Amino acid sequence: ELSSAVFAEELQQWKASLREDYAQIFDAVLGKSLDVLEQCVAIDVSGDAELDGVQDAGGLSAWLGRRHQQRCEGAEATAPAAALLIGPPAAGKTSLLSQVIVHSLGAELVPILVKMQRLQSLLLASPDAFASAWNWIDAFLRLEHEANPSLHRMLRQALAARRALLLLDGLDEGGAARERIERHVSEVL
């Protein structure tokens, strides 16, 4: 959809925007911004030997990048290329996703964070946009970035080229559309 020069320019602007939005987190107790990569969000990975050694966002980001590279090199598509992070409220899942975004900015994949509460809001407000889209992430991005069609086209191109790192935050917060969203994630995405 975009020439490689325009794609590269949009991608550079997107990554700069992500860095600005996710490189810092606000600590309400201290009342100041903190470098997201200096915060400790440890994860416990169990059940998959291939994930042994993944203990933090840097390891998870590297693992996701390796999985993508393996698929690009012809690895079997039956091996999982996704991870599901679970934990109680305020356990650090959103902070971990911010860390994954920042770690991924220098890699090949294009990070795209989708907050499920916002997806549900758009899904309920604009059902026709979702019904006519090839997937709900594309509809979400089109609606979310309608003021910048070139950015939407770049993100759509990354999705179509399978260069997107989709990060879905708050699957358990899908509200009234939760079951529909979960079904779309598991069956389409």
Side-chain angles (χ1 to χ4, degrees):
E1 292 185 14
L2 299 175
S3 69
S4 43
V6 173
F7 182 92
E9 182 180 324
E10 285 294 333
L11 179 59
Q12 182 178 12
Q13 290 174 10
W14 175 248
K15 287 186 174 187
S17 170
L18 290 175
R19 185 174 309 283
E20 183 177 316
D21 291 346
Y22 296 102
Q24 301 287 316
I25 58 173
F26 184 74
D27 184 321
V29 174
L30 298 175
K32 64 180 185 176
S33 291
L34 304 172
D35 182 330
V36 72
L37 295 181
E38 291 179 2
Q39 307 313 304
C40 178
V41 182
I43 56 177
D44 177 25
V45 178
S46 58
D48 190 335
E50 291 188 38
L51 287 168
D52 284 346
V54 173
Q55 299 174 342
D56 57 19
L60 180 60
S61 179
W63 179 82
L64 291 166
R66 282 192 307 274
R67 295 306 268 182
H68 175 262
Q69 188 59 40
Q70 290 166 350
R71 290 224 173 147
C72 288
E73 294 169 356
E76 209 174 310
T78 57
L84 175 65
L85 302 173
I86 57 173
K93 297 179 299 292
T94 298
S95 294
L96 183 85
L97 288 179
S98 292
Q99 292 176 335
V100 169
I101 288 169
V102 174
H103 278 291
S104 300
L105 292 176
E108 179 183 352
L109 294 174
V110 179
I112 300 173
L113 178 67
V114 178
K115 295 187 181 259
M116 290 298 107
Q117 288 180 329
R118 179 71 179 143
L119 177 81
Q120 177 199 235
S121 174
L122 292 172
L123 175 63
L124 297 175
S126 305
D128 291 345
F130 285 83
S132 63
W134 64 288
N135 74 49
W136 287 3
I137 300 302
D138 181 50
F140 171 84
L141 293 171
R142 183 168 24 96
L143 294 169
E144 196 71 357
H145 302 292
E146 60 190 343
N148 187 347
S150 186
L151 173 59
H152 169 247
R153 285 195 300 275
M154 184 277 295
L155 294 171
R156 181 182 186 163
Q157 193 166 328
L159 282 169
R162 300 202 186 283
R163 288 188 53 202
L165 174 59
L166 290 179
L167 302 166
L168 310 176
D169 189 18
L171 270 174
D172 59 331
E173 300 168 9
R178 179 178 175 174
E179 287 183 29
R180 290 172 52 208
I181 292 170
E182 288 178 355
R183 187 171 46 254
H184 188 81
V185 168
S186 65
E187 293 176 4
V188 177
L189 299 179

